[in-house]
Amino acid sequence: MPKKYIINVIPGDGIGKEVIPIALKVLKKLSRKFNFILEFKSFDYSCDYYIKNGSMMDKDGLKKLEDCHAILLGSVGMPSVADHISLWGLLIPIRRAFDQYVNLRPVKSLKGIDGVLRDKKSIDYLIVRENTEGEYSDIGGIKNQNRPDEFVFQQSVFSKKGTERIVNYAYELAIKRKKKLTSATKSNGIIHSMTYWDSIVEILSKKNPNVKTSKYHIDILCAQIVKNPDWFDVIVASNLFGDILSDLGPVCTGGMGIAPSANLNPDGKFPSMFEPVHGSAPDIYGKNIANPIATIWCCVMMLDHLGQTVAANILFNCIEKATLKKRFTPDLGGDMTASQFGDYICLLIEEC
């Protein structure tokens, strides 16, 4: 019997509603080609949902979303809803309730695409971002409000468990790749949380002597990623620093339209979630020109996570076949619509 997977789908807002149907069409083609079954369940959780209902999802939304093998998310956010509402109302609850403590973001040059670093054609590294604690904490507030001595404070939370498990995950990836790991820090200025982070990286580096471990302060790391991207293979970072690096990297290789990510629960106790890094881009919504590559690449990561490695590899090869032939959307200098790009990927799948 063919293996069956339930995929909960959240198209979200803006171009998420355009690129997700394209990705589903590609996934259906792949599943027929490689004899597995995908059952899609759609949820309309979004800023539109918030405007109508006063919340980003149902009260039992997390319970509903949990019943699946994986979650595929388009994009969330609209100018009419404050970003902190959409983030803390949907994305962060999903990541934390399902203990998706790994945010994995590949940064890789695609054949045929020139990023801003046109002379560097072999960029290929992974950003491993801690995804459930760190600087993105809700501990804090405003004191002495509306007084001359008013101030605001925000606390970061770095637990031993949380820090150890993200660094260990990064080392596991490094061992499988080039045996190089870089830790992003800022312990010269953030003396408590980042020195704690550094100490755990140092302890775990001694347990992984076959991996070359380096440490960079976040400011110079950003500079070296632009200047010498080939120095890096696996970069492990806190929630905030990983978030920053995850936008810097894709801009160097071709833009946010080709940037995928995975929110992983490595133990498999809860579903993992796959989402493009780009936003909802309301300015181009409805024009059929949004770049579907990031979302389709998320499908590659999802299939690999589900154990459909052959299908995942074929799909990534199809993406690169398309980009090598300069078949892409206007943001990369092409002349294809979003839906035409999806149809072309389906054609390449059929031909392989």
Short mmCIF file of all heavy atoms in Angstrom, two decimals, residues 2-39:
data_model
loop_
_atom_site.label_atom_id
_atom_site.label_comp_id
_atom_site.label_asym_id
_atom_site.label_seq_id
_atom_site.Cartn_x
_atom_site.Cartn_y
_atom_site.Cartn_z
N PRO A 2 0.50 2.24 -0.82
CA PRO A 2 1.27 3.50 -0.81
C PRO A 2 1.19 4.17 0.57
O PRO A 2 0.17 4.11 1.24
CB PRO A 2 0.55 4.35 -1.88
CG PRO A 2 -0.22 3.38 -2.69
CD PRO A 2 -0.59 2.26 -1.79
N LYS A 3 2.27 4.80 0.95
CA LYS A 3 2.29 5.51 2.22
C LYS A 3 1.49 6.79 2.11
O LYS A 3 1.55 7.49 1.10
CB LYS A 3 3.73 5.81 2.62
CG LYS A 3 3.89 6.13 4.10
CD LYS A 3 5.29 5.85 4.58
CE LYS A 3 5.37 6.00 6.09
NZ LYS A 3 6.72 5.70 6.61
N LYS A 4 0.74 7.10 3.18
CA LYS A 4 -0.13 8.27 3.17
C LYS A 4 0.32 9.29 4.20
O LYS A 4 0.67 8.94 5.33
CB LYS A 4 -1.58 7.85 3.46
CG LYS A 4 -2.57 9.01 3.48
CD LYS A 4 -3.98 8.50 3.75
CE LYS A 4 -4.98 9.65 3.84
NZ LYS A 4 -6.35 9.17 4.10
N TYR A 5 0.30 10.57 3.80
CA TYR A 5 0.68 11.66 4.70
C TYR A 5 -0.43 12.71 4.71
O TYR A 5 -0.95 13.10 3.66
CB TYR A 5 1.98 12.32 4.23
CG TYR A 5 3.13 11.37 4.05
CD1 TYR A 5 3.40 10.82 2.79
CD2 TYR A 5 3.95 11.02 5.11
CE1 TYR A 5 4.46 9.95 2.62
CE2 TYR A 5 5.01 10.15 4.94
CZ TYR A 5 5.26 9.61 3.70
OH TYR A 5 6.32 8.74 3.52
N ILE A 6 -0.77 13.16 5.90
CA ILE A 6 -1.73 14.26 6.06
C ILE A 6 -0.94 15.55 6.21
O ILE A 6 -0.09 15.68 7.10
CB ILE A 6 -2.63 14.04 7.28
CG1 ILE A 6 -3.47 12.77 7.11
CG2 ILE A 6 -3.54 15.26 7.50
CD1 ILE A 6 -4.24 12.38 8.36
N ILE A 7 -1.21 16.51 5.34
CA ILE A 7 -0.52 17.81 5.36
C ILE A 7 -1.55 18.89 5.66
O ILE A 7 -2.49 19.09 4.90
CB ILE A 7 0.16 18.11 4.01
CG1 ILE A 7 1.02 16.91 3.54
CG2 ILE A 7 0.99 19.38 4.12
CD1 ILE A 7 2.14 16.54 4.46
N ASN A 8 -1.40 19.56 6.78
CA ASN A 8 -2.26 20.70 7.10
C ASN A 8 -1.70 21.94 6.43
O ASN A 8 -0.51 22.26 6.58
CB ASN A 8 -2.36 20.89 8.61
CG ASN A 8 -3.28 19.87 9.25
OD1 ASN A 8 -4.10 19.25 8.57
ND2 ASN A 8 -3.15 19.67 10.55
N VAL A 9 -2.53 22.63 5.69
CA VAL A 9 -2.10 23.73 4.82
C VAL A 9 -2.71 25.04 5.31
O VAL A 9 -3.92 25.14 5.51
CB VAL A 9 -2.52 23.47 3.36
CG1 VAL A 9 -2.05 24.61 2.46
CG2 VAL A 9 -1.97 22.13 2.87
N ILE A 10 -1.84 26.04 5.51
CA ILE A 10 -2.28 27.38 5.89
C ILE A 10 -1.77 28.35 4.82
O ILE A 10 -0.62 28.79 4.87
CB ILE A 10 -1.73 27.79 7.26
CG1 ILE A 10 -2.02 26.72 8.32
CG2 ILE A 10 -2.31 29.14 7.70
CD1 ILE A 10 -1.37 27.00 9.67
N PRO A 11 -2.59 28.69 3.82
CA PRO A 11 -2.13 29.63 2.79
C PRO A 11 -1.76 30.99 3.36
O PRO A 11 -0.85 31.65 2.86
CB PRO A 11 -3.32 29.72 1.84
CG PRO A 11 -4.08 28.44 2.07
CD PRO A 11 -3.92 28.15 3.53
N GLY A 12 -2.50 31.44 4.39
CA GLY A 12 -2.17 32.71 5.03
C GLY A 12 -2.69 33.91 4.28
O GLY A 12 -3.83 33.95 3.82
N ASP A 13 -1.80 34.88 4.11
CA ASP A 13 -2.19 36.18 3.53
C ASP A 13 -1.44 36.46 2.23
O ASP A 13 -0.41 35.85 1.95
CB ASP A 13 -1.88 37.30 4.53
CG ASP A 13 -2.66 37.15 5.82
OD1 ASP A 13 -3.88 37.15 5.78
OD2 ASP A 13 -2.01 37.02 6.88
N GLY A 14 -1.94 37.44 1.48
CA GLY A 14 -1.23 37.94 0.32
C GLY A 14 -0.81 36.85 -0.64
O GLY A 14 -1.59 35.96 -1.00
N ILE A 15 0.46 36.90 -1.03
CA ILE A 15 0.94 35.96 -2.04
C ILE A 15 0.99 34.52 -1.53
O ILE A 15 1.14 33.59 -2.34
CB ILE A 15 2.33 36.36 -2.58
CG1 ILE A 15 3.40 36.35 -1.47
CG2 ILE A 15 2.26 37.71 -3.29
CD1 ILE A 15 4.81 36.51 -1.98
N GLY A 16 0.83 34.33 -0.23
CA GLY A 16 0.71 32.97 0.27
C GLY A 16 -0.45 32.24 -0.39
O GLY A 16 -0.38 31.04 -0.67
N LYS A 17 -1.52 32.98 -0.68
CA LYS A 17 -2.70 32.40 -1.34
C LYS A 17 -2.44 32.07 -2.80
O LYS A 17 -3.22 31.34 -3.42
CB LYS A 17 -3.87 33.38 -1.22
CG LYS A 17 -4.30 33.65 0.21
CD LYS A 17 -5.39 34.70 0.27
CE LYS A 17 -5.78 35.04 1.70
NZ LYS A 17 -6.80 36.09 1.78
N GLU A 18 -1.35 32.61 -3.36
CA GLU A 18 -0.99 32.31 -4.75
C GLU A 18 0.04 31.20 -4.86
O GLU A 18 -0.08 30.31 -5.71
CB GLU A 18 -0.45 33.58 -5.42
CG GLU A 18 -1.49 34.67 -5.58
CD GLU A 18 -0.95 35.91 -6.27
OE1 GLU A 18 0.25 36.22 -6.12
OE2 GLU A 18 -1.73 36.57 -6.97
N VAL A 19 1.06 31.24 -3.98
CA VAL A 19 2.14 30.27 -4.12
C VAL A 19 1.79 28.91 -3.52
O VAL A 19 2.28 27.87 -3.99
CB VAL A 19 3.45 30.80 -3.49
CG1 VAL A 19 3.97 32.00 -4.27
CG2 VAL A 19 3.29 31.13 -2.01
N ILE A 20 0.92 28.88 -2.51
CA ILE A 20 0.56 27.59 -1.91
C ILE A 20 -0.19 26.69 -2.90
O ILE A 20 0.15 25.51 -3.05
CB ILE A 20 -0.25 27.79 -0.61
CG1 ILE A 20 0.68 28.23 0.51
CG2 ILE A 20 -0.97 26.50 -0.22
CD1 ILE A 20 1.69 27.19 0.98
N PRO A 21 -1.20 27.18 -3.64
CA PRO A 21 -1.84 26.30 -4.63
C PRO A 21 -0.87 25.77 -5.68
O PRO A 21 -1.01 24.63 -6.14
CB PRO A 21 -2.90 27.21 -5.26
CG PRO A 21 -3.21 28.23 -4.21
CD PRO A 21 -1.90 28.48 -3.53
N ILE A 22 0.11 26.58 -6.05
CA ILE A 22 1.13 26.12 -7.00
C ILE A 22 1.93 24.98 -6.40
O ILE A 22 2.19 23.95 -7.05
CB ILE A 22 2.04 27.29 -7.40
CG1 ILE A 22 1.26 28.32 -8.20
CG2 ILE A 22 3.26 26.80 -8.19
CD1 ILE A 22 1.99 29.64 -8.41
N ALA A 23 2.33 25.15 -5.14
CA ALA A 23 3.11 24.11 -4.46
C ALA A 23 2.29 22.82 -4.32
O ALA A 23 2.83 21.71 -4.50
CB ALA A 23 3.55 24.61 -3.08
N LEU A 24 1.01 22.94 -4.02
CA LEU A 24 0.16 21.75 -3.88
C LEU A 24 0.03 21.01 -5.21
O LEU A 24 0.02 19.78 -5.25
CB LEU A 24 -1.22 22.14 -3.35
CG LEU A 24 -1.26 22.78 -1.95
CD1 LEU A 24 -2.71 22.97 -1.51
CD2 LEU A 24 -0.49 21.96 -0.93
N LYS A 25 -0.06 21.76 -6.29
CA LYS A 25 -0.13 21.14 -7.62
C LYS A 25 1.15 20.35 -7.90
O LYS A 25 1.10 19.22 -8.42
CB LYS A 25 -0.32 22.23 -8.68
CG LYS A 25 -0.53 21.70 -10.09
CD LYS A 25 -0.84 22.84 -11.05
CE LYS A 25 -1.10 22.31 -12.45
NZ LYS A 25 -1.44 23.42 -13.41
N VAL A 26 2.29 20.93 -7.54
CA VAL A 26 3.58 20.25 -7.73
C VAL A 26 3.65 19.00 -6.86
O VAL A 26 4.10 17.94 -7.31
CB VAL A 26 4.73 21.22 -7.40
CG1 VAL A 26 6.06 20.48 -7.29
CG2 VAL A 26 4.82 22.33 -8.44
N LEU A 27 3.22 19.11 -5.62
CA LEU A 27 3.25 17.96 -4.70
C LEU A 27 2.35 16.84 -5.20
O LEU A 27 2.70 15.65 -5.09
CB LEU A 27 2.83 18.40 -3.30
CG LEU A 27 3.86 19.19 -2.50
CD1 LEU A 27 3.23 19.77 -1.24
CD2 LEU A 27 5.05 18.31 -2.14
N LYS A 28 1.18 17.17 -5.74
CA LYS A 28 0.28 16.14 -6.27
C LYS A 28 0.94 15.40 -7.44
O LYS A 28 0.82 14.17 -7.56
CB LYS A 28 -1.03 16.78 -6.72
CG LYS A 28 -1.91 17.25 -5.56
CD LYS A 28 -3.14 18.01 -6.07
CE LYS A 28 -3.96 18.57 -4.92
NZ LYS A 28 -5.11 19.39 -5.38
N LYS A 29 1.61 16.16 -8.30
CA LYS A 29 2.32 15.54 -9.42
C LYS A 29 3.40 14.59 -8.92
O LYS A 29 3.55 13.47 -9.42
CB LYS A 29 2.93 16.64 -10.29
CG LYS A 29 3.83 16.14 -11.43
CD LYS A 29 3.05 15.39 -12.49
CE LYS A 29 2.23 16.32 -13.34
NZ LYS A 29 1.64 15.62 -14.53
N LEU A 30 4.15 15.03 -7.93
CA LEU A 30 5.21 14.18 -7.37
C LEU A 30 4.65 12.93 -6.72
O LEU A 30 5.20 11.83 -6.87
CB LEU A 30 6.01 14.97 -6.33
CG LEU A 30 7.23 15.75 -6.79
CD1 LEU A 30 7.76 16.59 -5.65
CD2 LEU A 30 8.33 14.83 -7.31
N SER A 31 3.58 13.08 -5.96
CA SER A 31 3.02 11.93 -5.24
C SER A 31 2.53 10.85 -6.21
O SER A 31 2.68 9.66 -5.95
CB SER A 31 1.89 12.37 -4.31
OG SER A 31 0.78 12.87 -5.04
N ARG A 32 1.94 11.29 -7.33
CA ARG A 32 1.51 10.31 -8.34
C ARG A 32 2.72 9.65 -8.99
O ARG A 32 2.70 8.45 -9.28
CB ARG A 32 0.63 10.99 -9.39
CG ARG A 32 -0.74 11.43 -8.86
CD ARG A 32 -1.67 11.81 -9.98
NE ARG A 32 -1.22 13.01 -10.68
CZ ARG A 32 -1.62 14.24 -10.36
NH1 ARG A 32 -2.46 14.43 -9.35
NH2 ARG A 32 -1.18 15.29 -11.04
N LYS A 33 3.76 10.43 -9.22
CA LYS A 33 4.96 9.92 -9.87
C LYS A 33 5.68 8.89 -9.01
O LYS A 33 6.20 7.89 -9.50
CB LYS A 33 5.89 11.10 -10.19
CG LYS A 33 7.18 10.73 -10.92
CD LYS A 33 6.98 10.65 -12.40
CE LYS A 33 8.30 10.49 -13.13
NZ LYS A 33 8.13 10.41 -14.59
N PHE A 34 5.71 9.14 -7.70
CA PHE A 34 6.50 8.29 -6.81
C PHE A 34 5.64 7.45 -5.86
O PHE A 34 6.16 6.90 -4.89
CB PHE A 34 7.49 9.16 -6.02
CG PHE A 34 8.55 9.77 -6.89
CD1 PHE A 34 8.42 11.05 -7.38
CD2 PHE A 34 9.67 9.04 -7.26
CE1 PHE A 34 9.38 11.62 -8.20
CE2 PHE A 34 10.65 9.59 -8.07
CZ PHE A 34 10.50 10.88 -8.55
N ASN A 35 4.35 7.36 -6.16
CA ASN A 35 3.47 6.40 -5.50
C ASN A 35 3.38 6.57 -3.99
O ASN A 35 3.60 5.64 -3.22
CB ASN A 35 3.90 4.97 -5.85
CG ASN A 35 2.81 3.96 -5.52
OD1 ASN A 35 1.63 4.27 -5.61
ND2 ASN A 35 3.22 2.77 -5.11
N PHE A 36 3.09 7.78 -3.56
CA PHE A 36 2.68 7.99 -2.18
C PHE A 36 1.48 8.93 -2.19
O PHE A 36 1.19 9.58 -3.21
CB PHE A 36 3.83 8.53 -1.31
CG PHE A 36 4.43 9.83 -1.78
CD1 PHE A 36 3.95 11.06 -1.33
CD2 PHE A 36 5.52 9.84 -2.65
CE1 PHE A 36 4.50 12.26 -1.74
CE2 PHE A 36 6.09 11.04 -3.07
CZ PHE A 36 5.58 12.25 -2.62
N ILE A 37 0.76 8.98 -1.09
CA ILE A 37 -0.49 9.71 -1.03
C ILE A 37 -0.35 10.92 -0.11
O ILE A 37 0.19 10.82 0.99
CB ILE A 37 -1.63 8.81 -0.52
CG1 ILE A 37 -1.86 7.63 -1.48
CG2 ILE A 37 -2.93 9.61 -0.36
CD1 ILE A 37 -2.80 6.57 -0.93
N LEU A 38 -0.81 12.06 -0.59
CA LEU A 38 -0.84 13.28 0.22
C LEU A 38 -2.29 13.72 0.38
O LEU A 38 -3.00 13.92 -0.61
CB LEU A 38 -0.03 14.39 -0.44
CG LEU A 38 1.48 14.16 -0.57
CD1 LEU A 38 2.11 15.28 -1.39
CD2 LEU A 38 2.14 14.08 0.80
N GLU A 39 -2.72 13.86 1.61
CA GLU A 39 -4.06 14.39 1.90
C GLU A 39 -3.90 15.79 2.48
O GLU A 39 -3.27 15.97 3.53
CB GLU A 39 -4.79 13.49 2.89
CG GLU A 39 -6.19 13.99 3.23
CD GLU A 39 -6.91 13.13 4.25
OE1 GLU A 39 -6.56 11.92 4.36
OE2 GLU A 39 -7.79 13.64 4.95
#
